[in-house]
């Protein structure tokens, strides 16, 4: 059994994590450029100044994608590279880079999927209050227009925000990511609301200015719960867990997804968060709830839950459970139940916009990079996805994170998620065993994955 004929087999990366050239060709500063300079913020003092040097080596990298046989590549555009101050003056040289990259991808038969914002927020806008500023949705809309004007004669697949939960909560509430703020909850909920409005405004701009019919999605974190057993009670418990808000945790799928797909915040969220909510204007949900073509989400792992008679409870992990180098549990079931539950609730074709693992890879004595754990991880996850597909979940595509090792945010270069190994000193790329394995998966259109 293979996947549907037009299944999108892809890999992903993001601008700040791979491009480098942080100060070149007129690029403006982002909050990540600033955060990396602050002592103690990023492991080992690493920065994205050079990263994988993809800005200068993009042709080699696209060549590697072609060698792997990728059908699609999910990339992001750096907002301050294109508009150094975040609004106003456009940096043509920055746009030229994305022009060249898109052309090279298309020349190699790889479909670009563009994420408009993957965390590298313009520092100049941050100084104006960033996501707190009531103009922030408009700034994002104007930036969207600039990118769409330039690329939409060739690019037809768009995503607005990547993991807003992370850049808002980790960046502005926990302080673990750029810009490193610990704001209070009123500010947090105002930022969430503005980022949702920004998503909506961006979709409006893509629809309005795209030169070709296009597909638009959103790429939040998919926080997955999966049932301990196949009993109806456990399945219902997992479903409830996935779509409930919690009092002191703000990552709930529904808070970030219901407005976008259903045009409202979830009722149970009001119960907990009402006291911190900003003024919500009458038309806000109309702006946020734009028609979308697919349901994108990033899923790396899930939580096992079961029914406890009155609701759900988390099942304690067994001693010595499987985990990746970054210490995330290995739970392939997340790729069966996650897409299934999301499809049930939001009724849009699903695209897994990220899934993958960090492994302690190094160049082996034979000069190759053997990463059997990653092959096993991908195999198990794609197998679950295939099961979900054949059980009736509409799944359009799968992007593994990442095409190459890269700057893992506050963890710097210490975590390797790539199909391709990067030697950060010489910038040499080596295809890992998993890259060759994924090539075979793509070549067989998933037929070699037995369910
Ligand atoms: C994301 C992150 C990626 C990370 C990856 C591994 O979208 O989650 O933006 O950039 O590198 O998820 O943590």
């Amino acid at each position: 059994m293979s996947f549907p004929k037009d299944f999108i087999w892809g890999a992903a990366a993001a601008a700040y994590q791979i491009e480098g050239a942080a100060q070149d060709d007129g690029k403006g500063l982002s909050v990540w450029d600033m955060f990396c300079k602050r002592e103690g913020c990023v492991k080992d003092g690493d920065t994205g100044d050079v990263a994988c040097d993809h800005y200068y080596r993009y042709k080699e990298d696209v060549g590697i994608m072609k060698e792997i046989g990728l059908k699609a590549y999910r990339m992001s555009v750096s907002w301050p590279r294109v508009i150094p101050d975040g609004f106003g003056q456009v940096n043509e040289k920055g746009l030229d880079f994305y022009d060249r990259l898109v052309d090279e991808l298309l020349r190699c038969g790889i479909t670009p999927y563009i994420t408009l914002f993957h965390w590298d927020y313009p520092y100049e806008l941050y100084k104006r209050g960033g996501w707190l500023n009531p103009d922030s949705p408009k700034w994002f809309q104007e930036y969207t227009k600039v990118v769409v004007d330039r690329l939409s004669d060739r690019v037809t697949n768009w995503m607005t925000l990547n993991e807003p939960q992370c850049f808002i909560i980790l960046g502005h509430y926990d302080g673990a990511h750029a810009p490193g703020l610990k704001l209070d909850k009123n500010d947090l909920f105002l930022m969430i609301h503005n980022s949702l409005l920004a998503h909506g405004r961006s979709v409006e701009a893509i629809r309005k200015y795209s030169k070709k019919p296009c597909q638009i999605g959103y790429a939040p974190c998919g926080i997955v719960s999966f049932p301990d057993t196949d009993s109806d009670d456990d399945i219902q418990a997992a479903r409830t867990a996935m779509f409930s808000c919690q009092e002191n945790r703000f990552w709930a799928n529904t808070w970030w997804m219901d407005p976008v797909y259903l045009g409202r915040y979830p009722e149970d969220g009001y119960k907990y968060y009402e006291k911190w909510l900003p003024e919500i204007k009458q038309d806000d949900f109309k702006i946020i709830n734009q028609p979308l073509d697919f349901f994108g989400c990033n899923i790396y792992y899930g939580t096992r839950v079961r029914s406890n008679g009155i609701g759900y409870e988390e099942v304690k992990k067994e001693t010595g459970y499987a985990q990746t180098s970054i210490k995330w549990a290995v739970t392939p079931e997340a790729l069966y139940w996650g897409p299934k539950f999301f499809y049930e609730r939001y009724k849009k074709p699903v695209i897994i916009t990220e899934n993958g693992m960090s492994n302690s890879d190094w160049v082996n004595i034979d000069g190759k990079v053997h990463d059997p754990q990653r092959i096993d991880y991908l195999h198990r996850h794609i197998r679950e996805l295939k099961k979900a597909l054949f059980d009736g979940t509409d799944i359009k595509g799968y992007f593994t994170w990442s095409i190459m090792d890269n700057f893992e945010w506050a963890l710097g270069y210490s975590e390797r998620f790539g199909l391709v190994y990067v030697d950060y000193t010489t910038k040499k790329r080596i295809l890992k065993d998993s890259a060759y394995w994924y090539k075979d998966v793509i070549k067989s259109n998933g037929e070699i994955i037995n369910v």
Side-chain angles (χ1 to χ4, degrees), residues 17 118-119 162-163 298 300 328 354 401 408-409 417:
Q17 295 180 276
H118 200 128
W119 305 1
N162 177 72
E163 297 192 350
N298 300 346
Y300 288 86
W328 295 349
E354 288 177 25
W401 183 273
E408 179 55 23
W409 307 114
F417 276 85

Side-chain angles (χ1 to χ4, degrees), residues 432-448:
K432 301 179 190 175
D433 288 356
S434 58
Y436 295 106
W437 178 83
Y438 194 45
K439 175 178 181 160
D440 290 341
V441 172
I442 299 173
K443 206 169 26 180
S444 78
N445 196 24
E447 182 138 8
I448 63 172

Side-chain angles (χ1 to χ4, degrees), residues 26-47:
K27 178 182 161 294
L29 293 171
S30 77
V31 293
W32 272 97
D33 289 310
M34 305 308 289
F35 189 69
C36 290
K37 292 197 183 92
R38 265 165 57 189
E39 221 183 297
C41 288
V42 176
K43 191 162 193 287
D44 301 329
D46 289 343
T47 76

Side-chain angles (χ1 to χ4, degrees), residues 101-119:
L101 174 54
V102 162
D103 286 344
E104 190 64 14
L105 287 164
L106 293 173
R107 199 178 67 77
C108 292
I110 301 165
T111 306
Y113 275 67
I114 292 192
T115 307
L116 287 155
F117 181 65
H118 200 128
W119 305 1

